[in-house]
Amino acid sequence: LALVARSGDLEGLAVVVSAGGTREPIDPVRFLGNRSSGRQGVAIAHAAAERGARVTLVAAHLDGVVRPGPGIEVVGVGTADELGRAMDAAAPDADVIVMAAAVADYSVASVSDTKLRKQDSPGALTLELRENRDVVAGLVANRRAGQTIVAFAAETVGSDGELLDRARAKAARKGVDLLAANAVGWTQGFESTQNALVIVDRDGTVAAEVAGSKDDTAHALLDAVLAARAGQTG
Ligand code: CTP
Ligand code: CA
């Protein structure tokens, strides 16, 4: 019944979703990565397409996770820098932007053209890392009227209250319309088909709290986006 009620409610909207985890090269055969599978972002892309949106999925290392679907254009990226360029290119035409990707905070300052050898760094290896630009901050700075921007945050926390505090602080700091936060840890939050999200707006108001399959949480996030947009224009 919920699916019937939602059908077509994103008709006419352009939705850009980033998903997956970026990888920062160290040398031609090695990289710094993260544990994001991209499943939540892919579920959001599919849910938006099902509901009638034109979807661009900026996909960072989603081989085996990204499913082909009607209404979804996939743009493959590798590094945080590439993801940033793809988002900048797609953003001007977007009504809704969802930054579900895990973007590397740092990249290797000088990437080696040849495979690093142990004999060159006996006992220990130090890599210098430089901070990457904040992609979503750039999107917020260039947001056009009527555009809704959603960020994600995966946090290691000790309680639901701490997760909510972090979500509120990050939503305010980033200036996004909505921020969806979930708890993660060594044995929590990754490679799962299930998720639990608390979604807050820029003022820290809880827009939704939802647990279930990543398809369920995707639809709940899109419901929150539509509610936020109704509030913006009405
Ligand atoms: N993000 C981004 N560009 C980056 C880092 C993160 O656009 N260089 C986006 C993520 O896609 C996510 C949001 O910012 O939607 C929050 O990411 P998160 O890593 O939680 O926030 P950071 O600002 O990087 O803060 P920290 O990692 O220190 O908690
Ligand atoms: Ca980060």
Side-chain angles (χ1 to χ4, degrees), residues 175-199:
V176 292
D177 299 290
L178 294 171
L179 182 136
N182 67 304
V184 294
W186 293 113
T187 59
Q188 184 185 19
F190 294 107
E191 298 293 339
S192 171
T193 58
Q194 303 292 117
N195 203 4
L197 294 177
V198 57
I199 303 171

Side-chain angles (χ1 to χ4, degrees), residues 103-105 170:
V103 185
D105 289 331
K170 200 165 269 184

Side-chain angles (χ1 to χ4, degrees), residues 57-83:
L57 176 61
V58 174
H61 303 286
L62 290 183
D63 326 311
V65 174
V66 68
R67 298 167 274 154
I72 301 181
E73 186 199 346
V74 179
V75 179
V77 296
T79 63
D81 185 59
E82 286 169 15
L83 186 142

Side-chain angles (χ1 to χ4, degrees), residues 48-177:
E50 272 169 30
R51 292 165 69 160
R54 282 174 290 120
V55 177
T56 303
L57 176 61
V58 174
H61 303 286
L62 290 183
D63 326 311
V65 174
V66 68
R67 298 167 274 154
I72 301 181
E73 186 199 346
V74 179
V75 179
V77 296
T79 63
D81 185 59
E82 286 169 15
L83 186 142
R85 289 163 197 258
M87 291 306 294
D88 288 349
D93 295 325
D95 299 296
V96 177
I97 298 172
V98 181
M99 278 292 290
V103 185
D105 289 331
Y106 302 92
S107 52
V108 176
S110 61
V111 178
S112 175
D113 281 332
T114 53
K115 193 178 165 194
L116 299 183
R117 295 183 302 174
K118 279 191 285 187
Q119 67 192 55
D120 296 329
S121 309
L125 169 68
T126 302
L127 287 175
E128 187 186 334
L129 304 181
R130 294 219 181 107
E131 194 172 329
N132 291 329
R133 79 180 169 97
D134 190 322
V135 176
V136 78
L139 300 175
V140 167
N142 293 308
R143 168 172 32 201
R144 59 173 177 76
Q147 199 172 55
T148 309
I149 303 181
V150 185
F152 265 75
E155 306 281 353
T156 49
V157 289
S159 68
D160 290 350
E162 195 183 350
L163 181 65
L164 186 54
D165 289 346
R166 296 271 191 99
R168 286 176 164 146
K170 200 165 269 184
R173 175 161 65 79
K174 299 258 177 192
V176 292
D177 299 290

